[in-house]
Amino acid sequence: MRTLAKALTVASAAGLLMFSAVPANATQQDEDNYWLGCQTYNTFKFRLYYNSNSGGSYRDFGYAVGNFGAVEIYGSGTVAYKFCGGTGAGAGQGVKNNAASARNEHTSYGACVYFSSWFNGAKDSLQPAVPTPVSKNLVNTYNENASFQWC
């Protein structure tokens, strides 16, 4: 009986450790999106543009973002995603409610841009990039975009 109680205690502790690691991983993804989204060497497959027809400044994303206007970055507090500096019209502007077009280069997943935070409301969908990347002007979320996820 003692062995069973010990085993359950160890299993419970391991489960708590696994559960507590999830937020750390999500924070790492947020930080990667934030810090690497303007680096030319990133391998992110989704891009939002400030202007229509894939014009103006851009911002790359590799992971889902629940709210373009408020992401928690360790050591920096809550910050908003901004279009990359030096990349054209809209550089330095907030991404939330400012994107007019998007591009999906992921060959396995579609990309969805949502009107509201946390993947709610109207959305624009971009199919997987088979055989070539998919670009389109946003219709349902044109300058009213608040979140993104692979769909």
Side-chain angles (χ1 to χ4, degrees), residues 80-130:
Y81 286 102
K82 296 187 183 303
F83 286 103
C84 302
T87 60
Q93 297 292 316
V95 170
K96 188 172 185 175
N97 298 330
N98 276 322
S101 58
R103 178 179 178 93
N104 183 15
E105 295 183 2
H106 205 295
T107 56
S108 298
Y109 299 105
C112 289
V113 180
Y114 293 86
F115 184 89
S116 299
S117 297
W118 303 109
F119 325 115
N120 289 302
K123 69 180 178 181
D124 282 296
S125 300
L126 289 83
Q127 65 190 33
V130 178

Side-chain angles (χ1 to χ4, degrees), residues 14-98:
L16 286 174
L17 287 174
M18 287 183 359
F19 180 74
S20 66
V22 172
N25 188 28
T27 300
Q28 184 62 52
Q29 290 175 355
D30 289 340
E31 288 195 31
D32 286 349
N33 268 339
Y34 188 79
W35 297 113
L36 300 177
C38 290
Q39 304 301 319
T40 56
Y41 59 82
N42 78 52
T43 58
F44 294 162
K45 305 288 186 191
F46 181 70
R47 180 174 280 186
L48 284 173
Y49 291 93
Y50 183 78
N51 288 336
S52 298
N53 303 315
S54 303
S57 60
Y58 63 84
R59 180 70 189 218
D60 293 336
F61 297 95
Y63 306 97
V65 176
N67 182 353
F68 290 132
V71 62
E72 184 70 29
I73 301 297
Y74 180 75
S76 299
T78 301
V79 294
Y81 286 102
K82 296 187 183 303
F83 286 103
C84 302
T87 60
Q93 297 292 316
V95 170
K96 188 172 185 175
N97 298 330
N98 276 322

